[in-house]
């Protein structure tokens, strides 16, 4: 007897088809309220978005809530519409720890932060939003709030070089005050893990912050948070175009490092300017 062959189900986060423009349109009023009245966002630079697929590289703040990320996506949709595709790379651990939340995020365009998904999205003609610093960036201590921090990750440079796409930096300032990260105790907790203490949920969190914020008051660990209602400033910067592209360029470690330092330094300069203007 022949067995019926069933199509293999795609793992969560590994498909571009979960993005739902109708869902995005339904949440726009809520995001608009947060944008206009809760965070009172001031933004600029959207004229720098070219009429082609791009790799948007951001530095984000504010713990797991990361409000500057959702506010940036709100700006994208209200300018270009929900039908213009953009996918955000989300940390794989989100599907392990918060599966229901991750599934909702997929409707908004979140996909697994993996090179395969990034290449797939760009080759489909869509743009991609990536935050290279990941958890270490979003939970960086408050004393580092004015610093661009990528945790030395260079995969986004190789992605841009291989796919021949410009990098458009997206910076923000203010969301670091939606909670106050006092310190990161990851190295201490990691040592306890090496001595036999299991990770909560069996997941290595990569960071273990101590922070002040809602709803916990004082929180220890990467717990979800409710962001405080502080003003957020965002800016889309001019595209960065490198001198060389292609597989050979992406395999040249020295050249990749040069491109990385260029992006980091230009974004730091843009952030410094934004902070100065926001203070005036």
């Amino acid at each position: 007897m022949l067995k019926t062959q069933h199509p293999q189900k795609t793992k969560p986060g590994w498909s571009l088809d979960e993005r739902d423009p109708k869902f995005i349109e339904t949440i726009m009023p809520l995001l608009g309220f947060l944008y206009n009245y809760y965070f009172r966002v001031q933004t600029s630079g959207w004229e720098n978005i070219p009429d082609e697929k791009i790799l948007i590289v951001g530095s984000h703040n504010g713990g797991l809530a990361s409000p500057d990320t959702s506010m940036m996506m709100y700006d994208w949709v209200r300018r270009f519409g929900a039908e213009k595709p953009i996918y955000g790379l989300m940390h794989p651990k989100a599907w392990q720890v918060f599966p229901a939340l991750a599934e909702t995020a997929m409707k908004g365009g979140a996909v697994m932060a993996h090179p395969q998904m990034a290449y797939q999205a760009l080759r489909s003609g869509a743009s991609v939003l990536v935050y290279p610093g990941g958890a270490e960036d979003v939970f960086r201590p408050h004393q580092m709030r004015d610093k661009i921090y990528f945790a030395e990750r260079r995969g986004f440079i190789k992605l841009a070089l291989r796919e021949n796409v410009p990098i458009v930096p997206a910076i923000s300032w203010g969301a670091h005050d939606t909670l106050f990260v006092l310190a990161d105790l990851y190295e201490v907790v990691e040592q306890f893990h090496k001595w036999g203490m299991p990770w909560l949920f069996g997941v290595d969190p990569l960071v273990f912050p101590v922070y002040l914020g809602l709803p916990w008051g004082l929180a220890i660990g990467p717990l979800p948070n409710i962001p405080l209602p502080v003003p957020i400033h965002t800016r889309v910067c001019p595209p960065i175009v490198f001198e060389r592209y292609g597989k050979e360029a992406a395999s040249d470690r020295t050249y990749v490092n040069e491109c990385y330092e260029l992006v980091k330094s230009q974004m730091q300069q843009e952030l410094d300017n934004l902070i100065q203007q926001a203070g005036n």
Side-chain angles (χ1 to χ4, degrees):
M1 179 181 294
L2 295 176
K3 295 184 179 179
T4 303
Q5 296 294 324
H6 297 285
Q8 185 176 4
K9 186 177 180 181
T10 304
K11 294 181 179 180
W14 291 89
S15 172
L16 303 180
D17 299 333
E18 297 297 327
R19 185 179 186 272
D20 185 352
K22 291 184 179 180
F23 169 79
I24 295 173
E25 291 173 355
T26 61
I27 65 173
M28 284 295 285
L30 172 60
L31 293 177
F33 172 81
L34 296 174
Y35 184 98
N36 292 301
Y37 302 107
Y38 195 82
F39 298 118
R40 306 180 298 285
V41 179
Q42 298 293 318
T43 193
S44 62
W46 286 88
E47 70 277 4
N48 291 316
I49 298 288
D51 189 21
E52 60 180 314
K53 63 183 179 181
I54 55 177
L55 179 63
I56 300 179
V57 175
S59 178
H60 56 353
N61 315 262
L64 292 181
S66 184
D68 45 4
T69 302
S70 56
M71 296 299 95
M72 194 74 72
M73 294 298 286
Y74 172 79
D75 262 318
W76 175 279
V77 175
R78 76 183 183 123
R79 283 170 168 79
F80 307 121
E83 295 295 337
K84 185 172 182 176
I86 181 170
Y87 292 93
L89 302 184
M90 191 164 71
H91 203 287
K93 295 185 188 298
W95 279 270
Q96 295 176 266
V97 182
F98 307 110
L101 183 61
E103 289 180 8
T104 301
M106 284 190 292
K107 294 181 180 180
V111 294
M112 189 74 67
H114 187 280
Q116 177 182 329
M117 292 308 304
Y119 288 123
Q120 184 178 335
L122 288 173
R123 291 169 185 174
S124 74
S127 294
V128 170
L129 170 64
V130 59
Y131 291 94
E136 296 94 327
D137 184 27
V138 80
F139 276 115
R140 69 188 187 277
H142 196 258
Q143 64 184 9
M144 294 175 60
R145 62 191 180 278
D146 297 340
K147 299 295 183 183
I148 297 297
Y149 183 62
F150 292 147
E152 297 301 315
R153 296 190 178 100
R154 291 162 169 75
F156 70 100
I157 297 292
K158 297 177 182 179
L159 173 65
L161 293 177
R162 284 181 176 271
E163 294 303 302
N164 193 19
V165 294
I167 284 179
V168 175
I171 59 174
S172 71
W173 189 75
H176 50 267
D177 287 337
T178 60
L179 85 170
F180 294 86
V181 180
L182 305 178
D184 183 4
L185 303 181
Y186 179 75
E187 292 185 0
V188 175
V189 178
E190 184 183 32
Q191 185 59 58
F192 279 112
H193 175 68
K194 292 178 179 178
W195 289 339
M197 183 186 76
W199 292 119
L200 186 63
F201 302 115
V203 177
D204 182 347
L206 300 179
V207 293
F208 208 85
V210 178
Y211 72 81
L212 295 173
L214 298 176
W216 318 105
L218 178 65
I220 300 178
L223 298 174
N225 65 291
I226 299 174
L228 294 167
V230 299
I232 294 177
H233 299 262
T234 66
R235 174 172 297 168
V236 176
C237 309
I240 297 175
V241 179
F242 303 123
E243 294 181 357
R244 293 191 289 130
Y245 285 88
K247 293 183 178 179
E248 183 176 343
S251 300
D252 185 338
R253 181 177 298 180
T254 300
Y255 183 64
V256 168
N257 288 340
E258 291 174 357
C259 294
Y260 172 85
E261 293 299 334
L262 173 65
V263 172
K264 185 178 176 182
S265 63
Q266 287 198 17
M267 288 182 66
Q268 185 63 60
Q269 183 61 55
E270 292 281 1
L271 180 58
D272 292 342
N273 294 338
L274 179 61
I275 293 172
Q276 183 177 7
Q277 293 176 15
N280 293 334

